[in-house]
Amino acid sequence: MKYFIDIARFVDESGKSKSLEKEFIRTSFGNALAELGDQENFVVLGADLDSSTKTIKFRQKFGEYGKEPFGQKGRWVSCGVSEAFMCAAAGGFAAREIKPVITTFARFLERGYEPLLQSVVIPGLDAFVLGSHGGIATGQDGASAQAIEDVAFFRAMHNVTVIAPGDPVETVQATKAAFRQSGLVYMRLSRNQFPNLFGPDYAFKIGEGVELIPGEEITLVTTGETTLQAIMAIAKLQKRGLKPRLIHMPTIQPPDQMILADAAKNSELFITIEDHSPRGGLGDAVLEALSMANAPRRVVKLGVDLYAESGTPADLYKKYGLDADGIAAKTLAAVETQAARHP
Amino acid sequence: MKSQEKKRLANRLRQIALRLVYESQSGHLGGSYSAAEIYIEILFEQLRLDTKKPASLENDIFVVDKGHATPGFFAAQHLAGLVTEESLSTYRRVDAASPHGKSKNLQGHPKYLPQQGIWFSTGSLGVGISQAVGMAIAEKMAGRKTHIYVLLSDGGLQEGIVWEAARNAAYHKLDNLTAVLDLNWIQNDDFVFKTTELLPVRAKWVSFGWEVFGEEVAFSERKPTSLNGHDFDWLSKSFEQARAVKAKPSLLIANTAKGRGISEIENSPEWHAKAPSPEQYQKWIAALQREEQAMAL
């Protein structure tokens, strides 16, 4: 779909990012979950991170299983710091027709990968998995908490939907959509605060990419946190006379093949930008989709191909080239080599 | 049901399990035989189950964590009327006609199929008891009076996830959950104590907050009378006591002999997962049939 945004809303004339109202998308998720609890039959499984994953609101509203005043009607279930168990126990709830919502840091879900596969995915049951703190944007906790392979893990499983929303509005809509989706839905959230990219007229759909900025010759494809960075990078690139298109891809699996094939009609170069390993994530999803659409193009994958360190998210993005300057510089470099190849 | 009838059923189970492993030339006989009496006791005496409605949410649930022991499990499910003869014949075979990924054939390890009373997917040790804990909480949330039984293996207790599940079950006061440990002291490679130390067993579970019935007998100290896991009277009595426990999950420690029922394979690590030759099959099936005929007299 097309949902054109005004770059001037995010960047001033000198190219500096504007100060905008922001919200933690974890909070957007937590609010949506607490609201959905009135309409849907689900439990929330927690592993000692309810304030970090913002499931605390649901916990307070619907009660903790086994604790007063809700007793056995409490719908937030404490699993302790036992992610492997939590992921397997989810299959027990799903088998008995109560949808499980598994919540923890994206990094620690990796420990539950095989139990989840055995207990939910192979039997073909439904579950919603929330991985917060995706990518190096997790910041100062360092490499142990910065999940950069989680999307690859989940994308490799059959019948799994992977979503990484890019703003608070989309996070709320994606959370609701996840409950209408069968199979396993993995939603990856960044730890950080985001301004609204979308207004109330936006309508998220699983599997649909969003063209945010029209353009030609170059297409930038982003997901989650990197979309905002790419908007600011495009402001810089426009000053250099380039007109890159921006496609935000909130659903990484399955990727939107149509929107990419359309973009390929006037783009020779694609740049994918993700706060994740360049193997198995958005970049590979775009490569596969272009190939399957019989629209092979040069794809330059930007991502995190190492284990980073502690630092503020902004400092880490700067160092590892995922901020506006880094994206702009790497795009320009790719354009130069492209020109050398096709003079 | 009288013990004599259950003994006959356990013999029938052993015959069917032998046939399944022989015909598919693969599968786990030793651990099916050590659990034969446990299977029969749970399916015929303990489970409150409408076999005409296997997928009913009102039925009690039996989760086999030691998912490799399917020859015995599917044989027991067949005897109980949950798995048809036709379905048994699909064991470990490809269903070429079914849509990709949608085969309903019986796999080497159980896959979720409520229509045949299978509410779990196992084969990777420790995920079964974890699923059972999730189910036990779900049952209490839904206000159902169902009870959940779980069959554990001794080698399986080496999985860390089992202890995560054990702690969670006690914390959540799951008195609708009864596990039984098939303590035959043999795992895939070798004897359990030659793989890694398991003792103490009872003390571990007690310290995790479980009510425990029975006690482990070290392999070297076992006598014929130690094998309570093949004794229907002990199993019946202990399951009944476990069902009456309040605010705690329960565990039965069943001392068993791997391969029990065929002397050539009893207590032999070689027979964890091995298929018999035609000669072995003919000899052993004949012996089991003679035993069945003797019971009928």
Side-chain angles (χ1 to χ4, degrees), chain B residues 207-223:
Chain B
S207 73
F208 270 70
W210 287 55
E211 188 72 29
V212 180
F213 299 86
E215 190 163 11
E216 71 272 21
V217 181
F219 187 77
S220 58
E221 293 167 18
R222 298 199 310 183
K223 303 182 187 78

Side-chain angles (χ1 to χ4, degrees), chain B residues 179-205:
Chain B
V180 52
L181 172 65
D182 177 7
L183 185 54
N184 61 36
W185 288 113
I186 292 171
Q187 59 188 104
N188 189 64
D189 280 2
D190 207 332
F191 288 95
V192 172
F193 44 85
K194 291 184 179 174
T195 307
T196 185
E197 186 53 83
L198 187 65
L199 293 170
V201 178
R202 182 186 168 88
K204 279 195 187 73
W205 289 88

Side-chain angles (χ1 to χ4, degrees), chain A residues 43 64-67 72-86 88-98 111 114-115 118-120 122-125, chain B residues 56-59 61 111-112 119-124 126-127 129-144 146 161 164-165 167-169 171-172 174:
Chain A
V43 290
E64 180 174 350
Y65 174 81
K67 293 276 161 67
Q72 293 175 355
K73 295 290 174 198
R75 289 165 56 189
W76 185 90
V77 180
S78 175
C79 295
V81 194
S82 302
E83 295 84 5
F85 161 77
M86 172 167 67
F93 286 97
R96 304 301 286 177
E97 300 180 357
I98 300 177
R111 181 182 301 217
E114 193 263 358
Q118 299 284 1
S119 307
V120 176
I122 290 178
L125 296 166
Chain B
S56 165
L57 288 170
E58 304 304 319
N59 290 340
I61 303 163
K111 182 179 163 185
Y112 174 77
W119 293 91
F120 58 93
S121 290
T122 56
S124 173
V127 299
I129 187 172
S130 304
Q131 290 165 25
V133 170
M135 289 181 202
I137 296 173
E139 296 308 283
K140 286 190 176 270
M141 277 181 178
R144 287 189 289 263
T146 42
I161 193 173
E164 296 185 4
R167 195 204 66 248
N168 271 283
Y171 175 73
H172 292 299
L174 301 178

Side-chain angles (χ1 to χ4, degrees), chain B residues 9-28:
Chain B
L9 286 164
N11 170 286
R12 290 287 307 143
L13 178 152
R14 287 186 168 95
Q15 292 187 43
I16 296 166
L18 181 61
R19 193 185 84 210
L20 291 178
V21 175
Y22 174 66
E23 287 179 353
S24 63
Q25 279 296 297
S26 66
H28 299 72

Side-chain angles (χ1 to χ4, degrees), chain A residues 317-332:
Chain A
Y317 268 33
K318 185 175 176 59
K319 176 169 177 181
Y320 293 107
L322 289 178
D323 66 347
D325 284 333
I327 294 167
K330 284 181 180 160
T331 303
L332 285 169

